[in-house]
Amino acid sequence: MTSLANRPTPPRSDGDGPVPGPLPPRLTRSLVGRWALFVVMVLVAVVMLYPFWVMIATSLKSEAQFLSGGGFSWLSWRNLSATLPLGQEVLSSTIVCSVSIAVILLVGLPAGFAFSKLRFRTSTTVFLIIVSAMMVPLQAILMPEFVNVTRLGLTGGYAGAIVVYASLGTPFSVFLFATYFRSVPDELIEAGIVDGLGYVGVLRRLVVPIAVPAIATVTVLQFIQIWDDLLVGLLFIQNTSERPITVGLAVLAAGRTTSIPELMAGSLVSALPAMVVYLGFQRYLVKGLTMGIDR
Amino acid sequence: MAQINLDAVTKVFGDTRVVDDLSLNVADGEFMVLVGPSGCGKTTALRMLAGLEDVTSGTISIGGQVVNNVLPKDRDVAMVFQNYALYPHMSVEKNIGFALKVRGDSKNEVKRKVADAAAILHLSEYLDRRPKALSGGQRQRVAMGRAIVRNPRAFLMDEPLSNLDAKLRVEMRLEIARIQRLLGVATVYVTHDQVEAMTMGDRVAVLRDGKLQQVDTPQRLYDHPDNEFVASFMGSPPMNLVRCQVRAGAQRVEIVVGAQTVELPWRYASSHDLPQSGGGVVVGVRPEDVTVADGSAPNTLRVRVERREALGAEILVHLSNLEADGVLAAREESALRLVAKMGPREQIAVGDEVSVRISPEHAHFFDATSGRTLRRE
Ligand SMILES: Nc1ncnc2c1ncn2[C@@H]1O[C@H](COP(=O)(O)OP(=O)(O)O)[C@@H](O)[C@H]1O
Ligand SMILES: [Mg+2]
């Protein structure tokens, strides 16, 4: 504001033109617009963050304090860690998540590359079949899947869940990588070949580094999906000692005497990693979703 | 460094012969320009040289070694792509040094060679930047740097200047020619721009529909085109090609344009296979060989000025011939359209009726059906 006010006034003829106001009209309008935008964004932020605030505030009360409305206590956090093997459950979720995502990336990236850059017979058909697998909802294939995995004897620990998650996530990953690599010019790969790379070199030294935004996108979306999923974990991980956090929470919620503050504390523990992963990869994620546009 | 030989190289996509029986020898250190209209197979020819495309038939050798079945990475050639194809995730320094790193040069060696290449290309200040943060001209230089740093057996360049604005293109034209001469590496340079071909090449190969039309020095291509296509492709505005009757006999060569006759030197009858009497030919005249003449002088054509384009340093004048009685030639077969290139001070206006003289020393004759030159070798 000061800089505007301190501007030297332009020489004015003493005619009868309109006296200039303190700000040119265009500037006024854009300032008003920016304030309006700011207010709207604050409102949106409040709406989005309010549930988190409720979770945090509620988890920091005892059951009695929650019902009466006031007070502060670590009691529900202490109870939570006493009832649930929190550390073990978070570890289980982490293992299932990371191994599934690793498989999804290891299959999806080379497959997407092959579908978009290598010419071979039936490539379009195979691609369409794989992509159409994306449309199949989990619930539709859950029972046959369960039968299969049981026959393989994998319903005890992580393996069964990992197989299911990986096979559910891979079609999307193949699709996203194929789309991404289509926006990468062929010449880039060919430049690498002329510069002395073989196929493996091309994949390792050009394709993977260029695909970082796509890798981030797949990782975040799959992480959120797998971390937050309850159904597969509930069905396929039958060893209590290997169950993930979502299953732990479900058990807590299904108990006869459910403590709301305790549940809130558990939900926070379960929600936090997904948020951290999202925030960590956000920079690449935006790039990945708008890829091809800034070219 | 090495010579490049293509022997009857053919490439078929589906059932089109994109490159058809191409034989071409590029001497060691030579700058060979491959020029032709868009879609004539230039890029395909270059990609076969690089090994990015299989050869349908024929042989390609580099340095005397047949490379038909040699992988691109083992051919030791560097390619500059039309859209530069810089690695977006690497700095300029990494981009230029990439091939050296891949082939296993030591870190210090890579650094030194990249610094040398960057100095030649005036890129030293930009080594830390990503390609995204460079201007078009700078990206082009990085693409060049990536090629020259390797000191390869051959440079292959595919329209490297086509994405630059006109001024930068003229600059880089000189720059690339300078660097190529400095390094003395055999180069195949692809362009659709005949000006680039004329100004850069030691020799120029003209390609049309995958077939080689003529290979020669730029000046000889311009002065002695082998066919109508080369005649009209090289030079701007293109050579005037006039379908007319020629009469050779009785110590004179005459061409008949509508109702007018122009006599040309008798020597054309011995240097060219002109049709014996009254045959149709295509006569070619460069725009700069059409000049305004005194109306009473012999061997001039009466024409009317239809259009006048002042380009600053020269004026392009579009002319139509007049019948003997001063009316415009109406019949299609006797109508003549000529473009003349005149000096900037020429006093000439649309609608003027003037006499023009066709420089008798610089006429070209082509067969009316095949378009091939009638010049005797
Ligand atoms: N991979 C391909 N498959 C089929 N046709 C192709 C392929 N590459 C090029 N062509 C065709 O070959 C012809 C020559 O292409 P190109 O060599 O790129 O021409 P230029 O570089 O001279 O413009 C074009 O008609 C083009 O459509
Ligand atoms: Mg091309």
Side-chain angles (χ1 to χ4, degrees), chain A residues 185 187-188 190-198 205-206 209-210 294, chain B residues 47 72-73 77 81 83 85-87 89 98-99 101-102 132 146 150:
Chain A
E187 283 83 1
L188 204 59
E190 292 171 344
I193 291 172
V194 174
D195 270 352
L197 294 178
R205 302 174 90 149
L206 290 182
I210 289 168
D294 63 338
Chain B
R47 290 169 56 85
K73 67 187 176 80
V77 298
F81 291 84
N83 56 13
L86 302 182
Y87 309 125
H89 58 294
F98 187 67
K101 197 173 146 197
V102 169
K132 217 177 190 164
R146 223 164 47 171
R150 291 172 51 186

PDB file of all heavy atoms in Angstrom, chain A residues 185 187-188 190-198 205-206 209-210 294, chain B residues 47 72-73 77 81 83 85-87 89 98-99 101-102 132 146 150:
ATOM      1  N   PRO A 185       8.588 -38.412 -25.910  1.00  0.00           N
ATOM      2  CA  PRO A 185       8.890 -38.617 -27.331  1.00  0.00           C
ATOM      3  C   PRO A 185       9.796 -39.827 -27.564  1.00  0.00           C
ATOM      4  O   PRO A 185      10.726 -40.066 -26.784  1.00  0.00           O
ATOM      5  CB  PRO A 185       9.609 -37.334 -27.751  1.00  0.00           C
ATOM      6  CG  PRO A 185       9.717 -36.469 -26.557  1.00  0.00           C
ATOM      7  CD  PRO A 185       9.062 -37.124 -25.401  1.00  0.00           C
ATOM      8  N   GLU A 187      12.021 -40.102 -29.686  1.00  0.00           N
ATOM      9  CA  GLU A 187      13.387 -39.667 -29.967  1.00  0.00           C
ATOM     10  C   GLU A 187      14.258 -39.681 -28.713  1.00  0.00           C
ATOM     11  O   GLU A 187      15.462 -39.877 -28.794  1.00  0.00           O
ATOM     12  CB  GLU A 187      13.402 -38.252 -30.561  1.00  0.00           C
ATOM     13  CG  GLU A 187      13.002 -38.174 -32.016  1.00  0.00           C
ATOM     14  CD  GLU A 187      11.497 -38.148 -32.190  1.00  0.00           C
ATOM     15  OE1 GLU A 187      10.774 -38.179 -31.170  1.00  0.00           O
ATOM     16  OE2 GLU A 187      11.050 -38.107 -33.342  1.00  0.00           O
ATOM     17  N   LEU A 188      13.617 -39.459 -27.577  1.00  0.00           N
ATOM     18  CA  LEU A 188      14.379 -39.432 -26.332  1.00  0.00           C
ATOM     19  C   LEU A 188      15.005 -40.798 -26.074  1.00  0.00           C
ATOM     20  O   LEU A 188      16.179 -40.910 -25.710  1.00  0.00           O
ATOM     21  CB  LEU A 188      13.424 -39.069 -25.194  1.00  0.00           C
ATOM     22  CG  LEU A 188      14.062 -38.450 -23.977  1.00  0.00           C
ATOM     23  CD1 LEU A 188      14.786 -37.183 -24.355  1.00  0.00           C
ATOM     24  CD2 LEU A 188      12.994 -38.160 -22.948  1.00  0.00           C
ATOM     25  N   GLU A 190      15.463 -43.048 -28.397  1.00  0.00           N
ATOM     26  CA  GLU A 190      16.395 -43.319 -29.489  1.00  0.00           C
ATOM     27  C   GLU A 190      17.710 -42.583 -29.300  1.00  0.00           C
ATOM     28  O   GLU A 190      18.776 -43.101 -29.633  1.00  0.00           O
ATOM     29  CB  GLU A 190      15.746 -42.946 -30.824  1.00  0.00           C
ATOM     30  CG  GLU A 190      14.604 -43.888 -31.150  1.00  0.00           C
ATOM     31  CD  GLU A 190      13.786 -43.463 -32.346  1.00  0.00           C
ATOM     32  OE1 GLU A 190      13.903 -42.291 -32.761  1.00  0.00           O
ATOM     33  OE2 GLU A 190      13.026 -44.290 -32.857  1.00  0.00           O
ATOM     34  N   ALA A 191      17.628 -41.371 -28.743  1.00  0.00           N
ATOM     35  CA  ALA A 191      18.861 -40.640 -28.442  1.00  0.00           C
ATOM     36  C   ALA A 191      19.708 -41.469 -27.484  1.00  0.00           C
ATOM     37  O   ALA A 191      20.928 -41.574 -27.648  1.00  0.00           O
ATOM     38  CB  ALA A 191      18.537 -39.280 -27.840  1.00  0.00           C
ATOM     39  N   GLY A 192      19.064 -42.079 -26.507  1.00  0.00           N
ATOM     40  CA  GLY A 192      19.782 -42.922 -25.561  1.00  0.00           C
ATOM     41  C   GLY A 192      20.413 -44.122 -26.252  1.00  0.00           C
ATOM     42  O   GLY A 192      21.549 -44.489 -25.964  1.00  0.00           O
ATOM     43  N   ILE A 193      19.671 -44.712 -27.196  1.00  0.00           N
ATOM     44  CA  ILE A 193      20.191 -45.875 -27.914  1.00  0.00           C
ATOM     45  C   ILE A 193      21.404 -45.484 -28.755  1.00  0.00           C
ATOM     46  O   ILE A 193      22.432 -46.162 -28.757  1.00  0.00           O
ATOM     47  CB  ILE A 193      19.079 -46.491 -28.789  1.00  0.00           C
ATOM     48  CG1 ILE A 193      18.023 -47.134 -27.886  1.00  0.00           C
ATOM     49  CG2 ILE A 193      19.648 -47.529 -29.748  1.00  0.00           C
ATOM     50  CD1 ILE A 193      16.792 -47.614 -28.617  1.00  0.00           C
ATOM     51  N   VAL A 194      21.298 -44.337 -29.458  1.00  0.00           N
ATOM     52  CA  VAL A 194      22.436 -43.874 -30.257  1.00  0.00           C
ATOM     53  C   VAL A 194      23.609 -43.510 -29.341  1.00  0.00           C
ATOM     54  O   VAL A 194      24.769 -43.672 -29.691  1.00  0.00           O
ATOM     55  CB  VAL A 194      22.031 -42.666 -31.135  1.00  0.00           C
ATOM     56  CG1 VAL A 194      23.229 -42.098 -31.862  1.00  0.00           C
ATOM     57  CG2 VAL A 194      20.983 -43.090 -32.150  1.00  0.00           C
ATOM     58  N   ASP A 195      23.301 -43.032 -28.135  1.00  0.00           N
ATOM     59  CA  ASP A 195      24.358 -42.698 -27.181  1.00  0.00           C
ATOM     60  C   ASP A 195      24.966 -43.936 -26.537  1.00  0.00           C
ATOM     61  O   ASP A 195      25.836 -43.824 -25.678  1.00  0.00           O
ATOM     62  CB  ASP A 195      23.815 -41.770 -26.084  1.00  0.00           C
ATOM     63  CG  ASP A 195      23.960 -40.304 -26.464  1.00  0.00           C
ATOM     64  OD1 ASP A 195      24.604 -40.017 -27.483  1.00  0.00           O
ATOM     65  OD2 ASP A 195      23.427 -39.441 -25.742  1.00  0.00           O
ATOM     66  N   GLY A 196      24.483 -45.120 -26.905  1.00  0.00           N
ATOM     67  CA  GLY A 196      25.170 -46.325 -26.464  1.00  0.00           C
ATOM     68  C   GLY A 196      24.423 -47.193 -25.469  1.00  0.00           C
ATOM     69  O   GLY A 196      25.012 -48.117 -24.919  1.00  0.00           O
ATOM     70  N   LEU A 197      23.157 -46.919 -25.215  1.00  0.00           N
ATOM     71  CA  LEU A 197      22.428 -47.731 -24.236  1.00  0.00           C
ATOM     72  C   LEU A 197      21.763 -48.938 -24.890  1.00  0.00           C
ATOM     73  O   LEU A 197      21.310 -48.855 -26.030  1.00  0.00           O
ATOM     74  CB  LEU A 197      21.345 -46.895 -23.562  1.00  0.00           C
ATOM     75  CG  LEU A 197      21.790 -45.733 -22.675  1.00  0.00           C
ATOM     76  CD1 LEU A 197      20.576 -44.995 -22.136  1.00  0.00           C
ATOM     77  CD2 LEU A 197      22.640 -46.238 -21.526  1.00  0.00           C
ATOM     78  N   GLY A 198      21.697 -50.042 -24.154  1.00  0.00           N
ATOM     79  CA  GLY A 198      20.867 -51.172 -24.564  1.00  0.00           C
ATOM     80  C   GLY A 198      19.509 -51.019 -23.906  1.00  0.00           C
ATOM     81  O   GLY A 198      19.244 -50.007 -23.252  1.00  0.00           O
ATOM     82  N   ARG A 205      18.391 -45.984 -16.947  1.00  0.00           N
ATOM     83  CA  ARG A 205      19.002 -44.655 -16.887  1.00  0.00           C
ATOM     84  C   ARG A 205      18.145 -43.561 -17.517  1.00  0.00           C
ATOM     85  O   ARG A 205      18.396 -42.392 -17.285  1.00  0.00           O
ATOM     86  CB  ARG A 205      20.367 -44.690 -17.580  1.00  0.00           C
ATOM     87  CG  ARG A 205      21.272 -45.712 -16.924  1.00  0.00           C
ATOM     88  CD  ARG A 205      22.535 -45.843 -17.702  1.00  0.00           C
ATOM     89  NE  ARG A 205      23.535 -44.899 -17.222  1.00  0.00           N
ATOM     90  CZ  ARG A 205      24.832 -45.152 -17.268  1.00  0.00           C
ATOM     91  NH1 ARG A 205      25.268 -46.279 -17.765  1.00  0.00           N
ATOM     92  NH2 ARG A 205      25.689 -44.258 -16.843  1.00  0.00           N
ATOM     93  N   LEU A 206      17.179 -43.925 -18.325  1.00  0.00           N
ATOM     94  CA  LEU A 206      16.321 -42.892 -18.920  1.00  0.00           C
ATOM     95  C   LEU A 206      14.878 -43.034 -18.467  1.00  0.00           C
ATOM     96  O   LEU A 206      14.279 -42.108 -17.956  1.00  0.00           O
ATOM     97  CB  LEU A 206      16.369 -42.968 -20.453  1.00  0.00           C
ATOM     98  CG  LEU A 206      17.670 -42.555 -21.115  1.00  0.00           C
ATOM     99  CD1 LEU A 206      17.530 -42.644 -22.626  1.00  0.00           C
ATOM    100  CD2 LEU A 206      18.049 -41.139 -20.717  1.00  0.00           C
ATOM    101  N   PRO A 209      14.129 -42.616 -14.444  1.00  0.00           N
ATOM    102  CA  PRO A 209      14.218 -41.218 -13.985  1.00  0.00           C
ATOM    103  C   PRO A 209      13.148 -40.318 -14.590  1.00  0.00           C
ATOM    104  O   PRO A 209      12.607 -39.451 -13.905  1.00  0.00           O
ATOM    105  CB  PRO A 209      15.603 -40.775 -14.455  1.00  0.00           C
ATOM    106  CG  PRO A 209      16.372 -42.020 -14.671  1.00  0.00           C
ATOM    107  CD  PRO A 209      15.397 -43.074 -15.037  1.00  0.00           C
ATOM    108  N   ILE A 210      12.822 -40.539 -15.851  1.00  0.00           N
ATOM    109  CA  ILE A 210      11.812 -39.694 -16.490  1.00  0.00           C
ATOM    110  C   ILE A 210      10.433 -39.994 -15.905  1.00  0.00           C
ATOM    111  O   ILE A 210       9.567 -39.137 -15.852  1.00  0.00           O
ATOM    112  CB  ILE A 210      11.819 -39.916 -18.023  1.00  0.00           C
ATOM    113  CG1 ILE A 210      13.078 -39.309 -18.608  1.00  0.00           C
ATOM    114  CG2 ILE A 210      10.600 -39.284 -18.680  1.00  0.00           C
ATOM    115  CD1 ILE A 210      13.331 -39.710 -20.037  1.00  0.00           C
ATOM    116  N   ASP A 294       2.038 -29.610 -19.721  1.00  0.00           N
ATOM    117  CA  ASP A 294       3.039 -28.532 -19.701  1.00  0.00           C
ATOM    118  C   ASP A 294       4.105 -28.724 -20.765  1.00  0.00           C
ATOM    119  O   ASP A 294       5.136 -28.102 -20.753  1.00  0.00           O
ATOM    120  CB  ASP A 294       3.686 -28.445 -18.317  1.00  0.00           C
ATOM    121  CG  ASP A 294       4.440 -29.715 -17.962  1.00  0.00           C
ATOM    122  OD1 ASP A 294       4.135 -30.785 -18.561  1.00  0.00           O
ATOM    123  OD2 ASP A 294       5.334 -29.667 -17.118  1.00  0.00           O
TER     124      ASP A 294
ATOM    125  N   ARG B  47      17.783 -42.512 -40.272  1.00  0.00           N
ATOM    126  CA  ARG B  47      17.565 -43.478 -39.195  1.00  0.00           C
ATOM    127  C   ARG B  47      18.164 -44.838 -39.541  1.00  0.00           C
ATOM    128  O   ARG B  47      18.603 -45.568 -38.659  1.00  0.00           O
ATOM    129  CB  ARG B  47      16.065 -43.601 -38.889  1.00  0.00           C
ATOM    130  CG  ARG B  47      15.498 -42.349 -38.212  1.00  0.00           C
ATOM    131  CD  ARG B  47      13.988 -42.391 -38.160  1.00  0.00           C
ATOM    132  NE  ARG B  47      13.508 -43.593 -37.506  1.00  0.00           N
ATOM    133  CZ  ARG B  47      13.365 -43.721 -36.195  1.00  0.00           C
ATOM    134  NH1 ARG B  47      13.634 -42.722 -35.413  1.00  0.00           N
ATOM    135  NH2 ARG B  47      12.934 -44.851 -35.678  1.00  0.00           N
ATOM    136  N   PRO B  72      22.893 -49.977 -33.036  1.00  0.00           N
ATOM    137  CA  PRO B  72      23.165 -48.533 -33.046  1.00  0.00           C
ATOM    138  C   PRO B  72      24.334 -48.157 -32.128  1.00  0.00           C
ATOM    139  O   PRO B  72      25.181 -47.356 -32.492  1.00  0.00           O
ATOM    140  CB  PRO B  72      21.868 -47.917 -32.526  1.00  0.00           C
ATOM    141  CG  PRO B  72      20.817 -48.919 -32.794  1.00  0.00           C
ATOM    142  CD  PRO B  72      21.475 -50.256 -32.814  1.00  0.00           C
ATOM    143  N   LYS B  73      24.348 -48.772 -30.955  1.00  0.00           N
ATOM    144  CA  LYS B  73      25.360 -48.351 -29.983  1.00  0.00           C
ATOM    145  C   LYS B  73      26.771 -48.733 -30.419  1.00  0.00           C
ATOM    146  O   LYS B  73      27.738 -48.171 -29.920  1.00  0.00           O
ATOM    147  CB  LYS B  73      25.046 -48.915 -28.597  1.00  0.00           C
ATOM    148  CG  LYS B  73      25.153 -50.423 -28.458  1.00  0.00           C
ATOM    149  CD  LYS B  73      24.638 -50.845 -27.085  1.00  0.00           C
ATOM    150  CE  LYS B  73      24.611 -52.342 -26.900  1.00  0.00           C
ATOM    151  NZ  LYS B  73      25.920 -52.918 -26.571  1.00  0.00           N
ATOM    152  N   VAL B  77      28.194 -43.552 -34.271  1.00  0.00           N
ATOM    153  CA  VAL B  77      27.736 -42.352 -34.957  1.00  0.00           C
ATOM    154  C   VAL B  77      26.914 -41.530 -33.964  1.00  0.00           C
ATOM    155  O   VAL B  77      26.336 -42.086 -33.033  1.00  0.00           O
ATOM    156  CB  VAL B  77      26.864 -42.675 -36.187  1.00  0.00           C
ATOM    157  CG1 VAL B  77      27.648 -43.453 -37.217  1.00  0.00           C
ATOM    158  CG2 VAL B  77      25.608 -43.418 -35.781  1.00  0.00           C
ATOM    159  N   PHE B  81      18.737 -34.845 -33.198  1.00  0.00           N
ATOM    160  CA  PHE B  81      17.338 -35.028 -33.570  1.00  0.00           C
ATOM    161  C   PHE B  81      16.656 -33.692 -33.824  1.00  0.00           C
ATOM    162  O   PHE B  81      17.057 -32.664 -33.285  1.00  0.00           O
ATOM    163  CB  PHE B  81      16.593 -35.776 -32.468  1.00  0.00           C
ATOM    164  CG  PHE B  81      17.019 -37.203 -32.329  1.00  0.00           C
ATOM    165  CD1 PHE B  81      18.134 -37.549 -31.580  1.00  0.00           C
ATOM    166  CD2 PHE B  81      16.310 -38.216 -32.963  1.00  0.00           C
ATOM    167  CE1 PHE B  81      18.539 -38.867 -31.459  1.00  0.00           C
ATOM    168  CE2 PHE B  81      16.701 -39.537 -32.842  1.00  0.00           C
ATOM    169  CZ  PHE B  81      17.819 -39.861 -32.097  1.00  0.00           C
ATOM    170  N   ASN B  83      13.827 -32.530 -32.802  1.00  0.00           N
ATOM    171  CA  ASN B  83      13.314 -31.846 -31.603  1.00  0.00           C
ATOM    172  C   ASN B  83      14.317 -31.920 -30.451  1.00  0.00           C
ATOM    173  O   ASN B  83      13.958 -31.818 -29.301  1.00  0.00           O
ATOM    174  CB  ASN B  83      11.965 -32.419 -31.190  1.00  0.00           C
ATOM    175  CG  ASN B  83      12.042 -33.912 -30.967  1.00  0.00           C
ATOM    176  OD1 ASN B  83      13.133 -34.468 -30.886  1.00  0.00           O
ATOM    177  ND2 ASN B  83      10.917 -34.566 -30.843  1.00  0.00           N
ATOM    178  N   ALA B  85      15.625 -33.859 -28.483  1.00  0.00           N
ATOM    179  CA  ALA B  85      15.597 -35.042 -27.620  1.00  0.00           C
ATOM    180  C   ALA B  85      16.608 -34.957 -26.485  1.00  0.00           C
ATOM    181  O   ALA B  85      17.343 -35.896 -26.216  1.00  0.00           O
ATOM    182  CB  ALA B  85      15.827 -36.313 -28.452  1.00  0.00           C
ATOM    183  N   LEU B  86      16.647 -33.812 -25.814  1.00  0.00           N
ATOM    184  CA  LEU B  86      17.531 -33.694 -24.653  1.00  0.00           C
ATOM    185  C   LEU B  86      16.927 -34.471 -23.495  1.00  0.00           C
ATOM    186  O   LEU B  86      15.701 -34.567 -23.374  1.00  0.00           O
ATOM    187  CB  LEU B  86      17.700 -32.226 -24.262  1.00  0.00           C
ATOM    188  CG  LEU B  86      18.250 -31.317 -25.357  1.00  0.00           C
ATOM    189  CD1 LEU B  86      18.417 -29.901 -24.829  1.00  0.00           C
ATOM    190  CD2 LEU B  86      19.575 -31.844 -25.884  1.00  0.00           C
ATOM    191  N   TYR B  87      17.788 -35.028 -22.634  1.00  0.00           N
ATOM    192  CA  TYR B  87      17.282 -35.759 -21.473  1.00  0.00           C
ATOM    193  C   TYR B  87      16.777 -34.737 -20.457  1.00  0.00           C
ATOM    194  O   TYR B  87      17.565 -33.960 -19.921  1.00  0.00           O
ATOM    195  CB  TYR B  87      18.388 -36.626 -20.878  1.00  0.00           C
ATOM    196  CG  TYR B  87      19.075 -37.498 -21.904  1.00  0.00           C
ATOM    197  CD1 TYR B  87      20.449 -37.460 -22.085  1.00  0.00           C
ATOM    198  CD2 TYR B  87      18.333 -38.355 -22.721  1.00  0.00           C
ATOM    199  CE1 TYR B  87      21.068 -38.257 -23.036  1.00  0.00           C
ATOM    200  CE2 TYR B  87      18.947 -39.136 -23.670  1.00  0.00           C
ATOM    201  CZ  TYR B  87      20.319 -39.084 -23.826  1.00  0.00           C
ATOM    202  OH  TYR B  87      20.925 -39.864 -24.769  1.00  0.00           O
ATOM    203  N   HIS B  89      15.754 -34.845 -17.447  1.00  0.00           N
ATOM    204  CA  HIS B  89      16.098 -34.948 -16.030  1.00  0.00           C
ATOM    205  C   HIS B  89      17.575 -34.721 -15.765  1.00  0.00           C
ATOM    206  O   HIS B  89      18.038 -34.912 -14.648  1.00  0.00           O
ATOM    207  CB  HIS B  89      15.675 -36.318 -15.508  1.00  0.00           C
ATOM    208  CG  HIS B  89      16.307 -37.459 -16.269  1.00  0.00           C
ATOM    209  ND1 HIS B  89      16.022 -37.701 -17.596  1.00  0.00           N
ATOM    210  CD2 HIS B  89      17.206 -38.379 -15.897  1.00  0.00           C
ATOM    211  CE1 HIS B  89      16.727 -38.757 -17.994  1.00  0.00           C
ATOM    212  NE2 HIS B  89      17.451 -39.175 -16.986  1.00  0.00           N
ATOM    213  N   PHE B  98      26.717 -37.635 -21.367  1.00  0.00           N
ATOM    214  CA  PHE B  98      26.045 -38.912 -21.134  1.00  0.00           C
ATOM    215  C   PHE B  98      26.659 -40.076 -21.911  1.00  0.00           C
ATOM    216  O   PHE B  98      26.975 -41.118 -21.344  1.00  0.00           O
ATOM    217  CB  PHE B  98      24.555 -38.777 -21.465  1.00  0.00           C
ATOM    218  CG  PHE B  98      23.750 -39.984 -21.094  1.00  0.00           C
ATOM    219  CD1 PHE B  98      23.573 -40.323 -19.768  1.00  0.00           C
ATOM    220  CD2 PHE B  98      23.167 -40.788 -22.066  1.00  0.00           C
ATOM    221  CE1 PHE B  98      22.833 -41.441 -19.414  1.00  0.00           C
ATOM    222  CE2 PHE B  98      22.427 -41.904 -21.718  1.00  0.00           C
ATOM    223  CZ  PHE B  98      22.259 -42.226 -20.393  1.00  0.00           C
ATOM    224  N   ALA B  99      26.854 -39.854 -23.223  1.00  0.00           N
ATOM    225  CA  ALA B  99      27.385 -40.950 -24.048  1.00  0.00           C
ATOM    226  C   ALA B  99      28.774 -41.378 -23.560  1.00  0.00           C
ATOM    227  O   ALA B  99      29.111 -42.564 -23.585  1.00  0.00           O
ATOM    228  CB  ALA B  99      27.441 -40.527 -25.510  1.00  0.00           C
ATOM    229  N   LYS B 101      29.892 -41.185 -20.488  1.00  0.00           N
ATOM    230  CA  LYS B 101      29.711 -41.901 -19.239  1.00  0.00           C
ATOM    231  C   LYS B 101      29.263 -43.333 -19.535  1.00  0.00           C
ATOM    232  O   LYS B 101      29.771 -44.288 -18.953  1.00  0.00           O
ATOM    233  CB  LYS B 101      28.661 -41.168 -18.402  1.00  0.00           C
ATOM    234  CG  LYS B 101      28.666 -41.560 -16.942  1.00  0.00           C
ATOM    235  CD  LYS B 101      27.715 -40.661 -16.173  1.00  0.00           C
ATOM    236  CE  LYS B 101      27.067 -41.436 -15.045  1.00  0.00           C
ATOM    237  NZ  LYS B 101      25.878 -40.770 -14.516  1.00  0.00           N
ATOM    238  N   VAL B 102      28.333 -43.459 -20.488  1.00  0.00           N
ATOM    239  CA  VAL B 102      27.824 -44.786 -20.829  1.00  0.00           C
ATOM    240  C   VAL B 102      28.951 -45.662 -21.357  1.00  0.00           C
ATOM    241  O   VAL B 102      29.043 -46.848 -21.026  1.00  0.00           O
ATOM    242  CB  VAL B 102      26.690 -44.688 -21.878  1.00  0.00           C
ATOM    243  CG1 VAL B 102      26.346 -46.058 -22.442  1.00  0.00           C
ATOM    244  CG2 VAL B 102      25.462 -44.055 -21.252  1.00  0.00           C
ATOM    245  N   LYS B 132      14.951 -27.564 -19.705  1.00  0.00           N
ATOM    246  CA  LYS B 132      13.738 -26.762 -19.601  1.00  0.00           C
ATOM    247  C   LYS B 132      14.040 -25.278 -19.457  1.00  0.00           C
ATOM    248  O   LYS B 132      13.261 -24.434 -19.890  1.00  0.00           O
ATOM    249  CB  LYS B 132      12.934 -27.245 -18.389  1.00  0.00           C
ATOM    250  CG  LYS B 132      11.457 -27.216 -18.625  1.00  0.00           C
ATOM    251  CD  LYS B 132      10.710 -27.757 -17.438  1.00  0.00           C
ATOM    252  CE  LYS B 132       9.253 -27.944 -17.818  1.00  0.00           C
ATOM    253  NZ  LYS B 132       8.553 -28.789 -16.895  1.00  0.00           N
ATOM    254  N   ARG B 146      26.145 -32.735 -27.491  1.00  0.00           N
ATOM    255  CA  ARG B 146      26.028 -34.160 -27.220  1.00  0.00           C
ATOM    256  C   ARG B 146      26.643 -34.964 -28.356  1.00  0.00           C
ATOM    257  O   ARG B 146      27.185 -36.042 -28.146  1.00  0.00           O
ATOM    258  CB  ARG B 146      24.545 -34.505 -27.080  1.00  0.00           C
ATOM    259  CG  ARG B 146      24.268 -35.411 -25.950  1.00  0.00           C
ATOM    260  CD  ARG B 146      22.830 -35.437 -25.599  1.00  0.00           C
ATOM    261  NE  ARG B 146      21.937 -35.589 -26.731  1.00  0.00           N
ATOM    262  CZ  ARG B 146      20.629 -35.803 -26.598  1.00  0.00           C
ATOM    263  NH1 ARG B 146      20.106 -35.902 -25.409  1.00  0.00           N
ATOM    264  NH2 ARG B 146      19.868 -35.913 -27.655  1.00  0.00           N
ATOM    265  N   ARG B 150      31.535 -36.702 -28.486  1.00  0.00           N
ATOM    266  CA  ARG B 150      31.903 -38.111 -28.647  1.00  0.00           C
ATOM    267  C   ARG B 150      32.999 -38.316 -29.659  1.00  0.00           C
ATOM    268  O   ARG B 150      33.561 -39.402 -29.761  1.00  0.00           O
ATOM    269  CB  ARG B 150      30.665 -38.911 -29.103  1.00  0.00           C
ATOM    270  CG  ARG B 150      29.614 -39.013 -28.040  1.00  0.00           C
ATOM    271  CD  ARG B 150      28.359 -39.638 -28.596  1.00  0.00           C
ATOM    272  NE  ARG B 150      28.630 -40.882 -29.305  1.00  0.00           N
ATOM    273  CZ  ARG B 150      27.729 -41.560 -29.978  1.00  0.00           C
ATOM    274  NH1 ARG B 150      26.502 -41.110 -30.037  1.00  0.00           N
ATOM    275  NH2 ARG B 150      28.047 -42.669 -30.589  1.00  0.00           N
TER     276      ARG B 150
END
